[in-house]
Amino acid sequence: MTTKVLMVCLGNICRSPLAEGIMRKLTNKQEFLIDSAGTANYHLGAAPDHRSIAIAALHNIDISRQQARQLTPADIDAFDHILVMDEENLSNALALCNSATQRDRIALITTASEVDAPHIPDPYYGGDDGFAHVYELLHDCCINWLKKHTK
Ligand code: 4NP
């Protein structure tokens, strides 16, 4: 059975595209389906931020062909795990739910991965070093999450 994991941030151009790329690289296509979305509609159809593309490329991950899309209630039915980057994304995603089953699918990626960070900080208004930090945090989260969710 394929486990479906959706990475969610605000704009779907910085953090969640990177999380999608990292998780795709770490998983097998037969076992996992990985996607990403944003809770906002600011950047619909846009490619990831050039700084996310660059830090991914530095780690041999190509995320340049991703296109931003907005999280929908249907996603919350379709995906087994919805991993959000911060508390704002968490409350935005929970607001789309109308059942406990849906709410139980949503978790902060740091908490779900037992990584010692409160959340994945929004790097959009910062410099390149913020994106390198986000990459490292997300990489740790994905490795830990997979350890917990694979045999
Ligand atoms: P993301 O970062 O949620 O990691 O994609 C942001 C991207 C765009 C904006 C904010 C955060 N924005 O305000 O446009």
Side-chain angles (χ1 to χ4, degrees):
M1 219 184 69
T2 306
T3 303
K4 301 189 183 97
V5 182
L6 185 65
M7 302 298 195
V8 171
C9 62
L10 179 65
N12 192 210
I13 56 166
C14 297
R15 291 165 291 177
S16 59
L18 204 44
E20 176 186 336
I22 293 168
M23 198 61 124
R24 278 226 174 126
K25 191 176 179 186
L26 292 171
T27 55
N28 168 328
K29 255 190 198 157
Q30 270 77 53
E31 289 175 21
F32 284 91
L33 185 150
I34 315 293
D35 194 7
S36 67
T39 61
N41 63 359
Y42 309 146
H43 301 279
L44 299 183
D49 187 283
H50 64 95
R51 296 164 295 180
S52 283
I53 293 176
I55 194 71
L58 201 65
H59 295 274
N60 294 312
I61 302 172
D62 180 8
I63 63 166
S64 65
R65 286 185 296 273
Q66 293 185 29
Q67 288 191 315
R69 70 177 187 86
Q70 190 172 20
L71 179 69
T72 67
D75 285 321
I76 299 167
D77 288 323
F79 285 85
D80 304 299
H81 302 275
I82 293 141
L83 300 178
V84 302
M85 302 292 135
D86 65 27
E87 294 78 1
E88 182 188 6
N89 313 150
L90 182 63
S91 62
N92 287 341
L94 287 172
L96 298 178
C97 297
N98 51 34
S99 72
T101 308
Q102 289 180 324
R103 284 190 284 275
D104 286 348
R105 294 181 176 154
I106 303 174
L108 260 176
I109 191 168
T110 45
T111 307
S113 311
E114 295 177 11
V115 162
D116 190 19
H119 53 239
I120 307 296
D122 182 350
Y124 187 61
Y125 293 106
D128 290 350
D129 53 346
F131 283 75
H133 178 57
V134 162
Y135 178 89
E136 296 304 332
L137 276 178
L138 285 174
H139 186 259
D140 285 355
C141 285
C142 290
I143 297 267
N144 279 16
W145 191 89
L146 284 168
K147 272 191 201 147
K148 284 168 56 98
H149 290 87
T150 49
K151 279 163 248 118

